[in-house]
Amino acid sequence: MTSTDNKRAADPKPSSGELDENALFYHRYPRPGKLEIQATKPLGNQRDLALAYSPGVAAPCLAIRDNPDAAAAYTARSNLVAVVSNGTAVLGLGNIGPLASKPVMEGKAVLFKKFAGIDVFDIEIDAPDVDRMVSVISALEPTFGGINLEDIKSPECFEVEQQLREIMDIPVFHDDQHGTAIIVAACILNGLELAGKNIEDAKIVTSGAGAAALACLNLLVALGAKRENIWVHDIDGLVYEGREVAMDQWKSVYAQKSDNRVLTESIGGADVFLGLSAAGVLKPEMLATMADRPLIMALANPSPEIMPDEARAARPDAMICTGRSDFPNQVNNVLCFPYIFRGALDCGARTINEEMKMAAVRAIAALAREEPSDIAARAYSGETPVFGPEYLIPSPFDQRLILRIAPAVAEAAAKSGVARRPIADMDAYVDQLNRFVFRSGLIMKPLFTAAKSATKKRVIFAEGEDERVLRAAQVLLEEEIAEPILIGRPGIIETRLQRFGLRIRPGADFTVINPEDDPRFRDYVDEYFSIVGRRGVIPEAARTIVRTNATVIGSLAVRRGEADALICGLEGRYTKHLRDVSQIIGKREGVIDFSALSLLISQRGATFFTDTYVSFDPSAEEIAETTIMAAQEIRRFGIAPKAALVSHSNFGSRDSGSADKMRRALSIIRSLAPELEVDGEMHGDSAISEVLRRRVMPDSTLTGEANLLVFPNLDAANIALGVVKTMTEALHVGPILLGPALPAHILSPSVTSRGVVNMATLAVVEASSAD
């Protein structure tokens, strides 16, 4: 394991004893370990069993016998990777053996799944020698689509990977070598660019000559570095021609014809220092002899070759990278290995070759030059970094990594001739990855398509100074979805745009309404007073409210036709925002009252909940109205609504005021919207499971699984929403306000910038449908 796999390194802030205790608890409860296996097909009846096993399973078996490539269509192999280790070089723990390495390998498996959706079996083998490792691992080829070698000591790791690549027809990737090399290479390309240097001319001095260091150098040479400009040092000093101590075929490639022997003698004029060795190796006085704007990559873990503050004091012009998460420019393997495998598996690559690795390097380097996403920004404290000396590579939490690396790797595999199943439609492939990243992509796609094709609408944002709104505004402009109008102080907005690394600018790209100085202030006050003047608001109070309440300003803008839709609620209480929207925008004609609809997107798909935010104890008539309005909204997503009125009563099993209310609501719905597929009152499990529902009500008018759950009161709806969201880690879209006279939505303070984009897109579609 290299020093760069720092997602596993202990943060120095908690004490060692406290961290160890927490880690043991984490791994033991609520059940031991970090992995489980889940079925992806139903096994609910005898027919399912017959299809999954005997006799039905014979059909795919014979299909694969006749065409081995059919395994990608009929089994999980094309999305299954083996993380294999013999435990001889685990973290900084050394040779602790295969069994003790299992928590690390499980952790690697979790990262594959979390970041790229790849399934993993961790396989710890009792195989200390090369021949046994090769024999065991090569025998696994029928099971897996790829092999990730992990924590195998040097130099055996070189020989094992080389032999496996020669005899196996699936990707074999030693992450400790190549994952580190890819991130390091991306860092060096960007660092040299900032310094105005070329890789062909750069002098590179290394401390460390293990698997990771040599893999880094090999990849840098493939990218253009000259061997004569590379000076390699290990514990025995410079690797030079004629040296006999601790040499091997991989290290000897970099032997220099020189009388130098120690790092101090070699580092003069160096453009890059690459450290994969031990703490304190690089002394501050050595930095003085390096070239202008040197790149210092001190990657030993947990203590680097030189601490960043020492390096910066000695060379203020230096760019500094470490393997630690508490400093800028963290070199972390998780930046690449999940996405390289994602691309390789998806195109059926036979190997991961140099072309694929170089494609990953360039994709990572290019991403660092883009504006950081909101997810990446939240991974940092303080100001959001932008491309520069302290931001040479993206954050490991930048969700765009998979969107850049996997397609680049798959394309390189196809061009180099190692892809069994080249990606035919790269745009569709990127769209598929995008849906994995945001989860809302598939369900939101009809709305995005409709919004892009419609006449551009003006969406006004009450919290225009909020980072999430600023990021959302850039997305809406880039995707040509809407014309943002932001309520806020122009100077604050400008400063925050620069801080967050966003390129849009007020006045040029979007409109700003400044509450402190807007020429329409008097008109807004007059209009607001005309609405609330007989509701206990005096003229002076009206002026104060219009000056200080952004939701009031936004609502007035929509009412006056100066904006087409309102988004608010990122700060403050929902009820206060609803009061302002209700007073100024009002309800649509014929609507009894407002209500709220929430969408949860999980691995099960889309489920809508109502009323989750507005009505405490709605009447049967209000429940019927909410259900019908919710069904209309659901159809905007291209989804056919299937409504279940849920209750503690299951088709008349209990008599209570609440159950009777839901029965009466059903009767009203059927009379007003006979085309809507709806039934009730029923238990929640009956709403989800047709099997359970048919047992108690065989002639239910609801088929399949309900996707709209209608609750008898706010307590039930809001509690269910929160519990299900947390237990399933579902993505929340909404709340969607039902019933306003003009498009307006009140979000929750926990919303992300992506959630703001989703709701603004929905508001655009609503505004367009009203034209």
Side-chain angles (χ1 to χ4, degrees):
M1 177 58 60
T2 73
S3 63
T4 61
D5 234 349
N6 294 294
K7 74 273 177 183
R8 309 179 210 150
D11 190 295
K13 294 176 183 177
S15 67
S16 177
E18 179 186 1
L19 185 67
D20 289 348
E21 183 179 346
N22 291 339
L24 291 172
F25 185 90
Y26 173 87
H27 282 78
R28 185 171 184 177
Y29 298 101
R31 53 189 296 185
K34 299 189 283 282
L35 299 174
E36 67 177 358
I37 295 175
Q38 291 186 343
T40 60
K41 299 294 191 295
L43 289 170
N45 52 44
Q46 186 63 37
R47 181 177 180 275
D48 291 343
L49 187 59
L51 293 173
Y53 201 58
S54 180
V57 75
C61 289
L62 294 175
I64 295 169
R65 179 200 63 185
D66 297 336
N67 176 20
D69 287 344
Y74 297 123
T75 75
R77 183 174 184 261
S78 64
N79 194 52
L80 188 61
V81 166
V83 171
V84 184
S85 179
N86 67 354
T88 54
V90 181
L91 296 174
L93 305 176
N95 187 356
I96 62 174
L99 182 59
S101 76
K102 188 170 180 63
V104 176
M105 303 312 131
E106 286 188 358
K108 194 83 171 191
V110 169
L111 294 175
F112 267 106
K113 186 67 174 180
K114 173 68 175 177
F115 287 98
I118 294 172
D119 295 316
V120 166
F121 289 152
D122 63 292
I123 299 178
E124 296 75 31
I125 58 176
D126 186 6
D129 62 86
V130 170
D131 289 343
R132 184 166 173 81
M133 273 190 281
V134 170
S135 175
V136 171
I137 297 169
S138 63
L140 299 173
E141 183 167 349
T143 300
F144 297 99
I147 303 291
N148 183 91
L149 301 176
E150 195 79 11
D151 292 359
I152 300 169
K153 71 182 179 72
S154 175
E156 287 88 339
C157 60
F158 297 115
E159 187 64 34
V160 169
E161 184 188 41
Q162 181 177 315
Q163 291 190 33
L164 290 175
R165 286 167 62 92
E166 290 172 357
I167 62 179
M168 298 184 78
D169 203 30
I170 58 174
V172 178
F173 187 82
H174 185 206
D175 183 47
D176 298 342
Q177 293 182 56
H178 308 300
T180 304
I182 288 165
I183 309 305
V184 165
C187 257
I188 289 177
L189 288 183
N190 279 347
L192 291 175
E193 178 180 316
L194 283 173
K197 302 174 183 178
N198 297 317
I199 191 170
E200 294 83 1
D201 304 321
K203 179 179 179 180
I204 302 169
V205 177
T206 74
S207 174
L214 294 176
C216 290
L217 297 177
N218 292 341
L219 186 54
L220 290 171
V221 169
L223 289 165
K226 301 292 177 54
R227 292 184 188 273
E228 58 265 29
N229 292 336
I230 297 174
W231 298 70
V232 179
H233 299 76
D234 60 12
I235 194 170
D236 295 300
L238 179 70
V239 174
Y240 61 89
E241 288 186 6
R243 177 177 139 175
E244 297 180 357
V245 177
M247 293 293 289
D248 55 49
Q249 59 178 312
W250 298 281
K251 194 185 301 184
S252 62
V253 171
Y254 295 100
Q256 285 278 7
K257 183 180 292 185
S258 173
D259 294 328
N260 291 350
R261 292 296 180 267
V262 295
L263 185 61
T264 306
E265 296 171 337
S266 302
I267 202 166
D271 299 289
V272 178
F273 170 80
L274 174 59
L276 287 154
S277 54
V281 168
L282 185 63
K283 306 300 181 185
E285 56 269 21
M286 296 182 187
L287 273 60
T289 66
M290 294 183 72
D292 291 341
R293 303 196 71 184
L295 175 59
I296 299 168
M297 307 195 70
L299 306 182
N301 232 0
S303 298
E305 284 79 1
I306 187 170
M307 292 300 290
D309 54 346
E310 284 186 285
R312 192 165 288 106
R315 286 298 298 267
D317 63 334
M319 293 169 280
I320 306 164
C321 304
T322 71
R324 292 171 49 145
S325 60
D326 53 344
F327 293 108
N329 292 325
Q330 183 197 11
V331 175
N332 191 324
N333 289 22
V334 79
L335 277 163
C336 71
F337 71 79
Y339 317 119
I340 289 173
F341 269 99
R342 180 74 279 157
L345 292 173
D346 290 340
C347 71
R350 292 182 168 87
T351 187
I352 295 175
N353 57 24
E354 291 302 304
E355 292 86 348
M356 295 160 73
K357 289 187 282 185
M358 287 191 288
V361 170
R362 294 190 175 100
I364 294 166
L367 180 57
R369 302 184 191 112
E370 297 184 31
E371 296 91 347
S373 70
D374 64 314
I375 300 297
R378 288 203 297 271
Y380 295 88
S381 58
E383 294 189 359
T384 306
V386 295
F387 180 58
E390 296 200 349
Y391 189 69
L392 296 175
I393 48 173
S395 161
F397 297 98
D398 194 321
Q399 293 181 320
R400 297 169 298 178
L401 285 163
I402 191 173
L403 304 178
R404 304 295 188 270
I405 299 173
V409 168
E411 190 171 14
K415 288 181 178 178
S416 59
V418 300
R420 289 188 186 87
R421 304 182 302 277
I423 306 295
D425 187 338
M426 192 57 70
D427 289 340
Y429 178 56
V430 172
D431 188 53
Q432 174 187 331
L433 295 174
N434 193 67
R435 293 199 299 268
F436 167 77
V437 171
F438 295 114
R439 289 185 292 172
S440 61
L442 179 62
I443 291 169
M444 291 298 299
K445 190 170 181 60
L447 293 175
F448 280 106
T449 301
K452 288 181 181 181
S453 62
T455 302
K456 292 298 171 286
K457 298 299 180 182
R458 300 158 299 172
V459 179
I460 189 165
F461 296 89
E463 293 85 7
E465 297 174 2
D466 192 286
E467 176 186 354
R468 294 163 292 178
V469 170
L470 297 175
R471 294 186 181 281
Q474 177 154 305
V475 173
L476 293 169
L477 286 164
E478 288 177 346
E479 298 294 325
E480 298 183 346
I481 293 171
E483 297 177 6
I485 302 172
L486 275 54
I487 301 173
R489 294 160 292 177
I492 299 297
I493 291 174
E494 182 73 39
T495 299
R496 291 182 179 178
L497 287 170
Q498 294 176 359
R499 180 192 306 165
F500 303 138
L502 302 175
R503 64 175 176 271
I504 57 173
R505 290 295 175 261
D509 301 304
F510 61 90
T511 303
V512 175
I513 294 180
N514 183 0
E516 297 178 347
D517 183 20
D518 191 279
R520 295 163 293 187
F521 175 70
R522 290 182 180 276
D523 295 336
Y524 275 38
V525 171
D526 290 344
E527 183 138 3
Y528 181 61
F529 186 72
S530 72
I531 298 168
V532 300
R534 294 182 179 274
R535 300 181 187 178
V537 178
I538 62 175
E540 184 61 33
R543 285 191 289 271
T544 301
I545 291 170
V546 171
R547 182 75 76 189
T548 59
N549 189 322
T551 299
V552 167
I553 297 171
S555 299
L556 288 168
V558 172
R559 178 188 173 101
R560 289 163 54 88
E562 296 168 1
D564 300 300
L566 167 68
I567 299 294
C568 63
L570 281 76
E571 299 172 3
R573 293 182 181 179
Y574 189 95
T575 54
K576 290 185 177 180
H577 293 284
L578 181 60
R579 176 201 62 200
D580 297 329
V581 170
S582 176
Q583 286 181 340
I584 300 167
I585 293 178
K587 297 188 290 289
R588 193 164 65 240
E589 186 177 354
V591 170
I592 302 171
D593 198 3
F594 295 102
S595 56
L597 175 69
S598 289
L599 164 61
L600 290 186
I601 305 170
S602 67
Q603 292 181 345
R604 297 180 61 90
T607 306
F608 294 84
F609 296 67
T610 197
D611 172 7
T612 49
Y613 279 85
V614 178
S615 300
F616 288 97
D617 188 16
S619 66
E621 290 75 15
E622 289 172 324
I623 289 173
E625 177 184 77
T626 294
T627 304
I628 294 170
M629 288 194 297
Q632 293 170 346
E633 202 71 35
I634 291 170
R635 292 188 183 99
R636 296 188 195 276
F637 292 84
I639 298 172
K642 295 185 176 185
L645 308 185
V646 294
S647 169
H648 68 283
S649 173
N650 204 26
F651 296 104
S653 65
R654 299 282 296 273
D655 284 323
S656 68
S658 173
D660 181 64
K661 178 173 67 174
M662 300 306 277
R663 294 179 202 129
R664 288 188 289 113
L666 177 64
S667 177
I668 297 169
I669 294 168
R670 285 177 170 169
S671 66
L672 296 177
E675 76 288 352
L676 177 60
E677 187 173 332
V678 59
D679 208 348
E681 83 292 4
M682 69 181 74
H683 286 170
D685 53 1
S686 294
I688 300 300
S689 170
E690 185 173 26
V691 173
L692 294 177
R693 187 165 62 250
R694 294 295 179 191
R695 288 177 184 172
V696 295
M697 186 54 60
D699 62 348
S700 173
T701 53
L702 182 64
T703 60
E705 181 176 321
N707 55 25
L708 171 58
L709 303 182
V710 182
F711 292 86
N713 56 51
L714 182 62
D715 279 348
N718 194 270
I719 291 169
L721 175 70
V723 170
V724 174
K725 176 184 175 182
T726 303
M727 291 181 65
T728 62
E729 297 184 347
L731 176 68
H732 180 210
V733 178
I736 302 166
L737 186 61
L738 302 176
L742 297 167
H745 294 290
I746 306 165
L747 310 186
S748 63
S750 62
V751 70
T752 64
S753 70
R754 188 68 188 184
V756 176
V757 171
N758 287 339
M759 291 305 298
T761 302
L762 176 60
V764 166
V765 173
E766 292 173 339
S768 299
S769 65
D771 290 345

